[in-house]
Amino acid sequence: SDLDADVLFLDEPCSNLDNENITLYQELLQSYSKGKMVIIASNHPPEYEFFCDNMFRIENGDLTSVTDK
């Protein structure tokens, strides 16, 4: 099944979600991501700040570390 994947890639996962469903997304991501690499492509902090240990920025073809918790 899709839940058995080792890597989960999410591209702007909260697009078009209301606040209630953003909260649901955050809860589900916590539950289903254990033991997986999760890559979230977004510039909207509620999609990743609660979850990510490492954040990177891609700008002008360069990858730079933004933070490392």
Side-chain angles (χ1 to χ4, degrees):
S1 90
D2 291 337
L3 297 177
D4 294 332
D6 294 329
V7 178
L8 179 61
F9 183 84
L10 303 171
D11 183 17
E12 298 183 358
C14 294
S15 293
N16 301 311
L17 296 182
D18 60 15
N19 287 336
E20 181 179 339
N21 284 304
I22 290 172
T23 300
L24 177 60
Y25 153 77
Q26 292 172 341
E27 292 169 2
L28 290 172
L29 189 57
Q30 295 285 356
S31 297
Y32 289 105
S33 64
K34 291 179 181 23
K36 299 179 187 321
M37 176 187 290
V38 179
I39 300 169
I40 303 170
S42 175
N43 60 2
H44 186 59
E47 295 180 332
Y48 59 84
E49 278 187 336
F50 72 99
F51 180 77
C52 293
D53 293 329
N54 299 296
M55 290 183 240
F56 299 89
R57 172 177 290 131
I58 301 173
E59 191 169 42
N60 299 323
D62 294 323
L63 177 68
T64 56
S65 179
V66 175
T67 186
D68 187 2
K69 290 184 185 176

Short mmCIF file of all heavy atoms in Angstrom, two decimals:
data_model
loop_
_atom_site.label_atom_id
_atom_site.label_comp_id
_atom_site.label_asym_id
_atom_site.label_seq_id
_atom_site.Cartn_x
_atom_site.Cartn_y
_atom_site.Cartn_z
N SER A 1 0.84 -1.19 0.00
CA SER A 1 0.00 0.00 0.00
C SER A 1 0.88 1.24 0.00
O SER A 1 2.06 1.19 0.29
CB SER A 1 -0.94 -0.01 1.20
OG SER A 1 -0.39 0.61 2.32
N ASP A 2 0.30 2.40 -0.27
CA ASP A 2 1.04 3.66 -0.29
C ASP A 2 1.61 4.00 1.08
O ASP A 2 2.60 4.71 1.17
CB ASP A 2 0.15 4.81 -0.77
CG ASP A 2 -0.20 4.67 -2.24
OD1 ASP A 2 0.54 3.99 -2.97
OD2 ASP A 2 -1.21 5.25 -2.65
N LEU A 3 0.98 3.53 2.13
CA LEU A 3 1.46 3.84 3.47
C LEU A 3 2.74 3.08 3.82
O LEU A 3 3.38 3.38 4.80
CB LEU A 3 0.38 3.55 4.51
CG LEU A 3 -0.88 4.39 4.38
CD1 LEU A 3 -1.91 3.97 5.42
CD2 LEU A 3 -0.58 5.86 4.52
N ASP A 4 3.10 2.10 3.01
CA ASP A 4 4.30 1.32 3.25
C ASP A 4 5.54 1.94 2.63
O ASP A 4 6.64 1.42 2.79
CB ASP A 4 4.13 -0.10 2.71
CG ASP A 4 3.05 -0.86 3.48
OD1 ASP A 4 2.84 -0.56 4.67
OD2 ASP A 4 2.42 -1.74 2.89
N ALA A 5 5.41 3.04 1.92
CA ALA A 5 6.55 3.69 1.27
C ALA A 5 7.53 4.20 2.32
O ALA A 5 7.15 4.63 3.40
CB ALA A 5 6.06 4.85 0.41
N ASP A 6 8.83 4.15 1.97
CA ASP A 6 9.87 4.63 2.88
C ASP A 6 10.02 6.15 2.84
O ASP A 6 10.52 6.76 3.77
CB ASP A 6 11.22 4.01 2.53
CG ASP A 6 11.23 2.51 2.78
OD1 ASP A 6 10.53 2.06 3.70
OD2 ASP A 6 11.95 1.81 2.05
N VAL A 7 9.59 6.76 1.72
CA VAL A 7 9.72 8.20 1.53
C VAL A 7 8.35 8.76 1.19
O VAL A 7 7.62 8.21 0.37
CB VAL A 7 10.71 8.55 0.39
CG1 VAL A 7 10.79 10.04 0.19
CG2 VAL A 7 12.08 7.97 0.68
N LEU A 8 8.01 9.86 1.85
CA LEU A 8 6.75 10.55 1.59
C LEU A 8 7.08 11.95 1.10
O LEU A 8 7.77 12.70 1.79
CB LEU A 8 5.92 10.62 2.88
CG LEU A 8 4.58 11.32 2.85
CD1 LEU A 8 3.64 10.64 1.86
CD2 LEU A 8 3.97 11.35 4.23
N PHE A 9 6.66 12.28 -0.11
CA PHE A 9 6.92 13.60 -0.69
C PHE A 9 5.61 14.36 -0.77
O PHE A 9 4.65 13.88 -1.39
CB PHE A 9 7.54 13.47 -2.09
CG PHE A 9 7.89 14.81 -2.67
CD1 PHE A 9 9.10 15.42 -2.36
CD2 PHE A 9 7.02 15.47 -3.50
CE1 PHE A 9 9.42 16.66 -2.88
CE2 PHE A 9 7.32 16.71 -4.03
CZ PHE A 9 8.53 17.31 -3.71
N LEU A 10 5.55 15.52 -0.14
CA LEU A 10 4.34 16.34 -0.12
C LEU A 10 4.65 17.69 -0.75
O LEU A 10 5.59 18.37 -0.35
CB LEU A 10 3.86 16.54 1.31
CG LEU A 10 3.58 15.26 2.10
CD1 LEU A 10 3.33 15.58 3.56
CD2 LEU A 10 2.41 14.53 1.51
N ASP A 11 3.85 18.09 -1.73
CA ASP A 11 4.04 19.37 -2.42
C ASP A 11 2.87 20.28 -2.05
O ASP A 11 1.74 20.03 -2.46
CB ASP A 11 4.09 19.13 -3.92
CG ASP A 11 4.35 20.40 -4.71
OD1 ASP A 11 4.79 21.40 -4.11
OD2 ASP A 11 4.12 20.39 -5.93
N GLU A 12 3.15 21.28 -1.23
CA GLU A 12 2.13 22.22 -0.74
C GLU A 12 0.88 21.47 -0.25
O GLU A 12 -0.22 21.64 -0.75
CB GLU A 12 1.78 23.23 -1.82
CG GLU A 12 2.97 24.08 -2.22
CD GLU A 12 2.64 25.14 -3.24
OE1 GLU A 12 1.49 25.23 -3.70
OE2 GLU A 12 3.56 25.90 -3.59
N PRO A 13 1.06 20.62 0.77
CA PRO A 13 -0.01 19.74 1.20
C PRO A 13 -1.26 20.42 1.77
O PRO A 13 -2.32 19.79 1.83
CB PRO A 13 0.65 18.86 2.26
CG PRO A 13 1.80 19.68 2.74
CD PRO A 13 2.27 20.45 1.56
N CYS A 14 -1.17 21.67 2.18
CA CYS A 14 -2.34 22.33 2.77
C CYS A 14 -3.05 23.27 1.81
O CYS A 14 -3.96 24.00 2.22
CB CYS A 14 -1.93 23.08 4.04
SG CYS A 14 -1.38 21.98 5.36
N SER A 15 -2.64 23.25 0.54
CA SER A 15 -3.31 24.11 -0.44
C SER A 15 -4.81 23.83 -0.41
O SER A 15 -5.23 22.67 -0.43
CB SER A 15 -2.79 23.83 -1.85
OG SER A 15 -1.46 24.23 -1.95
N ASN A 16 -5.58 24.87 -0.30
CA ASN A 16 -7.05 24.79 -0.33
C ASN A 16 -7.67 24.10 0.88
O ASN A 16 -8.82 23.68 0.82
CB ASN A 16 -7.53 24.12 -1.62
CG ASN A 16 -7.08 24.88 -2.84
OD1 ASN A 16 -7.22 26.09 -2.92
ND2 ASN A 16 -6.50 24.17 -3.79
N LEU A 17 -6.92 23.97 1.98
CA LEU A 17 -7.50 23.41 3.20
C LEU A 17 -7.88 24.53 4.15
O LEU A 17 -7.17 25.53 4.27
CB LEU A 17 -6.49 22.49 3.91
CG LEU A 17 -6.06 21.23 3.18
CD1 LEU A 17 -5.11 20.44 4.07
CD2 LEU A 17 -7.24 20.38 2.76
N ASP A 18 -8.99 24.33 4.87
CA ASP A 18 -9.37 25.28 5.90
C ASP A 18 -8.59 24.94 7.19
O ASP A 18 -7.86 23.94 7.24
CB ASP A 18 -10.88 25.29 6.14
CG ASP A 18 -11.44 23.94 6.58
OD1 ASP A 18 -10.66 23.04 6.99
OD2 ASP A 18 -12.66 23.78 6.52
N ASN A 19 -8.73 25.77 8.22
CA ASN A 19 -7.96 25.58 9.46
C ASN A 19 -8.22 24.22 10.10
O ASN A 19 -7.29 23.60 10.64
CB ASN A 19 -8.26 26.70 10.45
CG ASN A 19 -7.63 28.00 10.04
OD1 ASN A 19 -6.64 28.02 9.30
ND2 ASN A 19 -8.19 29.11 10.49
N GLU A 20 -9.45 23.75 10.06
CA GLU A 20 -9.78 22.45 10.66
C GLU A 20 -9.02 21.33 9.94
O GLU A 20 -8.48 20.43 10.58
CB GLU A 20 -11.29 22.21 10.56
CG GLU A 20 -11.74 20.90 11.16
CD GLU A 20 -13.24 20.71 11.07
OE1 GLU A 20 -13.99 21.69 10.91
OE2 GLU A 20 -13.66 19.54 11.16
N ASN A 21 -8.97 21.38 8.63
CA ASN A 21 -8.28 20.33 7.89
C ASN A 21 -6.76 20.48 7.93
O ASN A 21 -6.05 19.49 7.79
CB ASN A 21 -8.80 20.27 6.46
CG ASN A 21 -10.16 19.61 6.43
OD1 ASN A 21 -10.31 18.48 6.89
ND2 ASN A 21 -11.16 20.32 5.93
N ILE A 22 -6.25 21.68 8.14
CA ILE A 22 -4.81 21.84 8.37
C ILE A 22 -4.42 21.14 9.67
O ILE A 22 -3.41 20.45 9.73
CB ILE A 22 -4.40 23.32 8.37
CG1 ILE A 22 -4.51 23.90 6.96
CG2 ILE A 22 -2.98 23.50 8.92
CD1 ILE A 22 -4.31 25.40 6.87
N THR A 23 -5.24 21.29 10.69
CA THR A 23 -5.00 20.60 11.96
C THR A 23 -5.04 19.09 11.75
O THR A 23 -4.18 18.36 12.28
CB THR A 23 -6.04 21.03 13.01
OG1 THR A 23 -5.91 22.44 13.21
CG2 THR A 23 -5.83 20.31 14.32
N LEU A 24 -5.99 18.60 10.98
CA LEU A 24 -6.08 17.17 10.68
C LEU A 24 -4.83 16.70 9.94
O LEU A 24 -4.26 15.65 10.26
CB LEU A 24 -7.34 16.87 9.86
CG LEU A 24 -7.51 15.41 9.43
CD1 LEU A 24 -7.59 14.49 10.63
CD2 LEU A 24 -8.75 15.28 8.55
N TYR A 25 -4.39 17.46 8.94
CA TYR A 25 -3.16 17.14 8.20
C TYR A 25 -1.99 17.00 9.18
O TYR A 25 -1.21 16.03 9.09
CB TYR A 25 -2.87 18.24 7.17
CG TYR A 25 -1.41 18.39 6.81
CD1 TYR A 25 -0.78 17.49 5.96
CD2 TYR A 25 -0.66 19.44 7.34
CE1 TYR A 25 0.57 17.63 5.65
CE2 TYR A 25 0.68 19.58 7.03
CZ TYR A 25 1.29 18.68 6.18
OH TYR A 25 2.61 18.82 5.88
N GLN A 26 -1.84 17.94 10.10
CA GLN A 26 -0.73 17.90 11.04
C GLN A 26 -0.80 16.65 11.91
O GLN A 26 0.22 16.00 12.15
CB GLN A 26 -0.72 19.18 11.88
CG GLN A 26 -0.38 20.40 11.06
CD GLN A 26 -0.56 21.71 11.82
OE1 GLN A 26 -1.24 21.77 12.84
NE2 GLN A 26 0.06 22.76 11.31
N GLU A 27 -1.98 16.30 12.37
CA GLU A 27 -2.15 15.10 13.19
C GLU A 27 -1.84 13.84 12.40
O GLU A 27 -1.15 12.93 12.89
CB GLU A 27 -3.57 15.03 13.74
CG GLU A 27 -3.88 16.12 14.75
CD GLU A 27 -5.36 16.21 15.10
OE1 GLU A 27 -6.16 15.41 14.60
OE2 GLU A 27 -5.70 17.11 15.90
N LEU A 28 -2.35 13.75 11.16
CA LEU A 28 -2.12 12.57 10.34
C LEU A 28 -0.64 12.41 9.98
O LEU A 28 -0.12 11.30 9.97
CB LEU A 28 -2.97 12.62 9.07
CG LEU A 28 -4.47 12.45 9.29
CD1 LEU A 28 -5.23 12.73 8.00
CD2 LEU A 28 -4.79 11.07 9.83
N LEU A 29 0.01 13.51 9.69
CA LEU A 29 1.43 13.44 9.34
C LEU A 29 2.24 12.90 10.52
O LEU A 29 3.13 12.06 10.33
CB LEU A 29 1.95 14.81 8.91
CG LEU A 29 3.35 14.82 8.32
CD1 LEU A 29 3.45 13.89 7.11
CD2 LEU A 29 3.75 16.22 7.94
N GLN A 30 1.92 13.34 11.71
CA GLN A 30 2.62 12.82 12.90
C GLN A 30 2.40 11.31 13.02
O GLN A 30 3.32 10.56 13.34
CB GLN A 30 2.11 13.52 14.17
CG GLN A 30 2.42 14.98 14.25
CD GLN A 30 3.88 15.29 14.57
OE1 GLN A 30 4.68 14.41 14.81
NE2 GLN A 30 4.20 16.56 14.55
N SER A 31 1.19 10.84 12.76
CA SER A 31 0.85 9.42 12.91
C SER A 31 1.47 8.53 11.84
O SER A 31 1.96 7.44 12.15
CB SER A 31 -0.66 9.23 12.86
OG SER A 31 -1.28 9.89 13.93
N TYR A 32 1.43 8.96 10.60
CA TYR A 32 1.81 8.10 9.49
C TYR A 32 3.26 8.26 9.02
O TYR A 32 3.68 7.59 8.09
CB TYR A 32 0.87 8.32 8.30
CG TYR A 32 -0.50 7.78 8.55
CD1 TYR A 32 -1.56 8.62 8.83
CD2 TYR A 32 -0.74 6.41 8.54
CE1 TYR A 32 -2.83 8.13 9.09
CE2 TYR A 32 -1.99 5.89 8.81
CZ TYR A 32 -3.03 6.76 9.07
OH TYR A 32 -4.28 6.26 9.33
N SER A 33 4.02 9.12 9.66
CA SER A 33 5.37 9.37 9.18
C SER A 33 6.46 8.65 9.96
O SER A 33 7.63 8.72 9.59
CB SER A 33 5.65 10.87 9.21
OG SER A 33 5.62 11.33 10.56
N LYS A 34 6.11 7.95 10.98
CA LYS A 34 7.11 7.27 11.80
C LYS A 34 7.92 6.30 10.95
O LYS A 34 7.38 5.49 10.22
CB LYS A 34 6.44 6.56 12.97
CG LYS A 34 5.85 7.53 13.98
CD LYS A 34 5.17 6.79 15.09
CE LYS A 34 4.54 7.66 16.13
NZ LYS A 34 4.18 8.99 15.85
N GLY A 35 9.26 6.42 11.03
CA GLY A 35 10.13 5.53 10.29
C GLY A 35 10.26 5.87 8.81
O GLY A 35 10.78 5.07 8.04
N LYS A 36 9.78 7.02 8.40
CA LYS A 36 9.82 7.42 6.99
C LYS A 36 10.59 8.72 6.83
O LYS A 36 10.65 9.53 7.73
CB LYS A 36 8.40 7.65 6.45
CG LYS A 36 7.51 6.43 6.52
CD LYS A 36 6.14 6.74 5.99
CE LYS A 36 5.15 5.63 6.18
NZ LYS A 36 5.60 4.30 5.99
N MET A 37 11.16 8.90 5.66
CA MET A 37 11.71 10.20 5.29
C MET A 37 10.56 10.99 4.70
O MET A 37 9.86 10.51 3.82
CB MET A 37 12.82 10.07 4.26
CG MET A 37 13.31 11.44 3.79
SD MET A 37 14.49 11.35 2.44
CE MET A 37 15.88 10.65 3.29
N VAL A 38 10.35 12.19 5.20
CA VAL A 38 9.28 13.05 4.70
C VAL A 38 9.90 14.31 4.12
O VAL A 38 10.67 14.99 4.78
CB VAL A 38 8.28 13.42 5.83
CG1 VAL A 38 7.19 14.32 5.30
CG2 VAL A 38 7.70 12.17 6.46
N ILE A 39 9.54 14.60 2.88
CA ILE A 39 10.01 15.81 2.20
C ILE A 39 8.77 16.65 1.91
O ILE A 39 7.84 16.18 1.26
CB ILE A 39 10.74 15.48 0.89
CG1 ILE A 39 11.96 14.60 1.20
CG2 ILE A 39 11.12 16.75 0.15
CD1 ILE A 39 12.59 14.00 -0.02
N ILE A 40 8.76 17.86 2.45
CA ILE A 40 7.63 18.77 2.26
C ILE A 40 8.13 19.97 1.47
O ILE A 40 8.99 20.71 1.94
CB ILE A 40 7.04 19.23 3.61
CG1 ILE A 40 6.61 18.03 4.45
CG2 ILE A 40 5.87 20.18 3.37
CD1 ILE A 40 6.23 18.37 5.87
N ALA A 41 7.60 20.14 0.27
CA ALA A 41 7.94 21.30 -0.57
C ALA A 41 6.88 22.36 -0.34
O ALA A 41 5.72 22.17 -0.68
CB ALA A 41 7.99 20.89 -2.04
N SER A 42 7.28 23.46 0.28
CA SER A 42 6.30 24.49 0.64
C SER A 42 7.01 25.77 1.05
O SER A 42 8.15 25.76 1.49
CB SER A 42 5.45 24.00 1.80
OG SER A 42 4.58 25.01 2.24
N ASN A 43 6.30 26.87 0.92
CA ASN A 43 6.77 28.13 1.48
C ASN A 43 5.75 28.66 2.49
O ASN A 43 5.74 29.82 2.84
CB ASN A 43 7.05 29.17 0.39
CG ASN A 43 5.82 29.48 -0.44
OD1 ASN A 43 4.75 28.96 -0.19
ND2 ASN A 43 5.98 30.33 -1.44
N HIS A 44 4.88 27.77 2.98
CA HIS A 44 3.82 28.11 3.93
C HIS A 44 4.12 27.41 5.26
O HIS A 44 3.92 26.20 5.40
CB HIS A 44 2.47 27.66 3.35
CG HIS A 44 1.30 28.08 4.15
ND1 HIS A 44 1.00 29.39 4.43
CD2 HIS A 44 0.32 27.35 4.74
CE1 HIS A 44 -0.11 29.45 5.16
NE2 HIS A 44 -0.53 28.22 5.36
N PRO A 45 4.64 28.14 6.27
CA PRO A 45 5.11 27.54 7.52
C PRO A 45 4.17 26.54 8.21
O PRO A 45 4.68 25.54 8.74
CB PRO A 45 5.40 28.76 8.41
CG PRO A 45 5.78 29.82 7.44
CD PRO A 45 4.86 29.59 6.24
N PRO A 46 2.85 26.72 8.25
CA PRO A 46 2.02 25.71 8.93
C PRO A 46 2.10 24.31 8.29
O PRO A 46 1.71 23.33 8.91
CB PRO A 46 0.60 26.26 8.81
CG PRO A 46 0.77 27.73 8.66
CD PRO A 46 2.05 27.89 7.86
N GLU A 47 2.63 24.23 7.08
CA GLU A 47 2.75 22.92 6.42
C GLU A 47 3.97 22.14 6.90
O GLU A 47 4.03 20.93 6.72
CB GLU A 47 2.82 23.11 4.90
CG GLU A 47 1.54 23.67 4.33
CD GLU A 47 1.56 23.86 2.84
OE1 GLU A 47 2.65 24.07 2.26
OE2 GLU A 47 0.48 23.79 2.25
N TYR A 48 4.93 22.81 7.53
CA TYR A 48 6.17 22.11 7.88
C TYR A 48 6.78 22.48 9.23
O TYR A 48 7.46 21.66 9.84
CB TYR A 48 7.22 22.34 6.79
CG TYR A 48 7.58 23.78 6.54
CD1 TYR A 48 8.52 24.44 7.32
CD2 TYR A 48 6.94 24.50 5.53
CE1 TYR A 48 8.83 25.77 7.10
CE2 TYR A 48 7.25 25.83 5.30
CZ TYR A 48 8.20 26.46 6.08
OH TYR A 48 8.49 27.77 5.85
N GLU A 49 6.59 23.68 9.74
CA GLU A 49 7.30 24.12 10.95
C GLU A 49 7.05 23.22 12.15
O GLU A 49 7.95 23.00 12.96
CB GLU A 49 6.93 25.55 11.31
CG GLU A 49 7.69 26.57 10.55
CD GLU A 49 7.42 27.98 11.04
OE1 GLU A 49 6.36 28.24 11.64
OE2 GLU A 49 8.28 28.83 10.82
N PHE A 50 5.86 22.70 12.30
CA PHE A 50 5.50 21.87 13.45
C PHE A 50 6.20 20.51 13.41
O PHE A 50 6.23 19.79 14.40
CB PHE A 50 3.97 21.63 13.47
CG PHE A 50 3.51 20.68 12.40
CD1 PHE A 50 3.28 19.36 12.68
CD2 PHE A 50 3.35 21.12 11.09
CE1 PHE A 50 2.88 18.48 11.69
CE2 PHE A 50 2.94 20.26 10.10
CZ PHE A 50 2.70 18.94 10.40
N PHE A 51 6.78 20.17 12.27
CA PHE A 51 7.19 18.80 12.03
C PHE A 51 8.68 18.63 11.69
O PHE A 51 9.32 17.69 12.12
CB PHE A 51 6.34 18.25 10.88
CG PHE A 51 6.64 16.84 10.50
CD1 PHE A 51 6.18 15.80 11.29
CD2 PHE A 51 7.39 16.56 9.39
CE1 PHE A 51 6.46 14.50 10.95
CE2 PHE A 51 7.68 15.26 9.04
CZ PHE A 51 7.20 14.22 9.83
N CYS A 52 9.22 19.52 10.90
CA CYS A 52 10.55 19.32 10.30
C CYS A 52 11.69 19.57 11.26
O CYS A 52 11.70 20.54 12.00
CB CYS A 52 10.71 20.23 9.08
SG CYS A 52 9.61 19.78 7.75
N ASP A 53 12.69 18.68 11.18
CA ASP A 53 13.94 18.86 11.93
C ASP A 53 14.95 19.67 11.13
O ASP A 53 15.75 20.40 11.69
CB ASP A 53 14.56 17.51 12.26
CG ASP A 53 13.72 16.72 13.23
OD1 ASP A 53 13.04 17.34 14.09
OD2 ASP A 53 13.71 15.48 13.15
N ASN A 54 14.92 19.52 9.82
CA ASN A 54 15.85 20.22 8.94
C ASN A 54 15.06 20.94 7.86
O ASN A 54 14.15 20.36 7.27
CB ASN A 54 16.82 19.23 8.27
CG ASN A 54 17.65 18.49 9.28
OD1 ASN A 54 18.44 19.10 9.97
ND2 ASN A 54 17.48 17.20 9.36
N MET A 55 15.42 22.18 7.62
CA MET A 55 14.75 22.95 6.57
C MET A 55 15.80 23.51 5.62
O MET A 55 16.88 23.94 6.06
CB MET A 55 13.93 24.09 7.18
CG MET A 55 12.73 23.60 7.92
SD MET A 55 11.74 24.95 8.54
CE MET A 55 11.81 24.61 10.28
N PHE A 56 15.47 23.47 4.34
CA PHE A 56 16.38 23.94 3.30
C PHE A 56 15.64 24.90 2.39
O PHE A 56 14.42 24.80 2.23
CB PHE A 56 16.91 22.76 2.48
CG PHE A 56 17.70 21.79 3.30
CD1 PHE A 56 17.07 20.73 3.93
CD2 PHE A 56 19.06 21.94 3.45
CE1 PHE A 56 17.78 19.83 4.70
CE2 PHE A 56 19.78 21.04 4.22
CZ PHE A 56 19.15 19.99 4.85
N ARG A 57 16.39 25.77 1.77
CA ARG A 57 15.82 26.70 0.79
C ARG A 57 16.51 26.43 -0.54
O ARG A 57 17.73 26.28 -0.60
CB ARG A 57 16.07 28.14 1.22
CG ARG A 57 15.68 29.16 0.16
CD ARG A 57 15.86 30.59 0.63
NE ARG A 57 14.85 30.84 1.66
CZ ARG A 57 15.10 31.39 2.85
NH1 ARG A 57 16.32 31.78 3.16
NH2 ARG A 57 14.14 31.58 3.72
N ILE A 58 15.70 26.37 -1.60
CA ILE A 58 16.24 26.28 -2.95
C ILE A 58 15.98 27.63 -3.59
O ILE A 58 14.84 28.07 -3.71
CB ILE A 58 15.57 25.17 -3.77
CG1 ILE A 58 15.77 23.82 -3.10
CG2 ILE A 58 16.11 25.17 -5.20
CD1 ILE A 58 14.99 22.69 -3.74
N GLU A 59 17.06 28.30 -3.95
CA GLU A 59 16.94 29.63 -4.53
C GLU A 59 18.04 29.83 -5.56
O GLU A 59 19.21 29.59 -5.26
CB GLU A 59 17.05 30.67 -3.42
CG GLU A 59 16.68 32.06 -3.82
CD GLU A 59 16.57 32.97 -2.61
OE1 GLU A 59 17.42 32.89 -1.69
OE2 GLU A 59 15.63 33.77 -2.58
N ASN A 60 17.65 30.22 -6.75
CA ASN A 60 18.61 30.44 -7.84
C ASN A 60 19.48 29.21 -8.08
O ASN A 60 20.68 29.33 -8.34
CB ASN A 60 19.47 31.67 -7.58
CG ASN A 60 18.66 32.93 -7.48
OD1 ASN A 60 17.67 33.10 -8.20
ND2 ASN A 60 19.04 33.82 -6.60
N GLY A 61 18.88 28.03 -7.94
CA GLY A 61 19.61 26.79 -8.20
C GLY A 61 20.51 26.34 -7.07
O GLY A 61 21.20 25.33 -7.19
N ASP A 62 20.52 27.04 -5.94
CA ASP A 62 21.35 26.69 -4.80
C ASP A 62 20.51 26.15 -3.67
O ASP A 62 19.43 26.65 -3.36
CB ASP A 62 22.12 27.91 -4.29
CG ASP A 62 23.14 28.42 -5.28
OD1 ASP A 62 23.76 27.60 -5.97
OD2 ASP A 62 23.29 29.66 -5.38
N LEU A 63 21.01 25.11 -3.01
CA LEU A 63 20.36 24.52 -1.83
C LEU A 63 21.13 24.97 -0.61
O LEU A 63 22.34 24.72 -0.49
CB LEU A 63 20.37 22.99 -1.95
CG LEU A 63 19.78 22.23 -0.77
CD1 LEU A 63 18.28 22.45 -0.70
CD2 LEU A 63 20.09 20.74 -0.90
N THR A 64 20.44 25.64 0.32
CA THR A 64 21.08 26.09 1.55
C THR A 64 20.25 25.67 2.76
O THR A 64 19.03 25.66 2.70
CB THR A 64 21.26 27.62 1.59
OG1 THR A 64 19.99 28.24 1.40
CG2 THR A 64 22.21 28.09 0.51
N SER A 65 20.93 25.34 3.83
CA SER A 65 20.25 24.97 5.07
C SER A 65 19.70 26.24 5.71
O SER A 65 20.40 27.24 5.82
CB SER A 65 21.22 24.29 6.02
OG SER A 65 20.57 23.96 7.24
N VAL A 66 18.44 26.17 6.14
CA VAL A 66 17.81 27.31 6.79
C VAL A 66 17.90 27.14 8.29
O VAL A 66 18.17 28.07 9.03
CB VAL A 66 16.33 27.45 6.34
CG1 VAL A 66 15.63 28.55 7.11
CG2 VAL A 66 16.25 27.69 4.86
N THR A 67 17.66 25.94 8.76
CA THR A 67 17.70 25.67 10.19
C THR A 67 17.93 24.19 10.44
O THR A 67 17.64 23.37 9.60
CB THR A 67 16.39 26.12 10.87
OG1 THR A 67 16.53 25.96 12.28
CG2 THR A 67 15.20 25.33 10.43
N ASP A 68 18.44 23.87 11.57
CA ASP A 68 18.64 22.48 12.00
C ASP A 68 18.26 22.45 13.47
O ASP A 68 18.98 22.95 14.31
CB ASP A 68 20.10 22.07 11.80
CG ASP A 68 20.34 20.61 12.06
OD1 ASP A 68 19.38 19.89 12.37
OD2 ASP A 68 21.49 20.18 11.93
N LYS A 69 17.09 21.90 13.78
CA LYS A 69 16.59 21.88 15.17
C LYS A 69 17.43 20.99 16.04
O LYS A 69 17.80 19.94 15.73
CB LYS A 69 15.13 21.43 15.21
CG LYS A 69 14.19 22.44 14.64
CD LYS A 69 12.76 21.96 14.82
CE LYS A 69 11.78 22.87 14.17
NZ LYS A 69 10.43 22.39 14.24
#
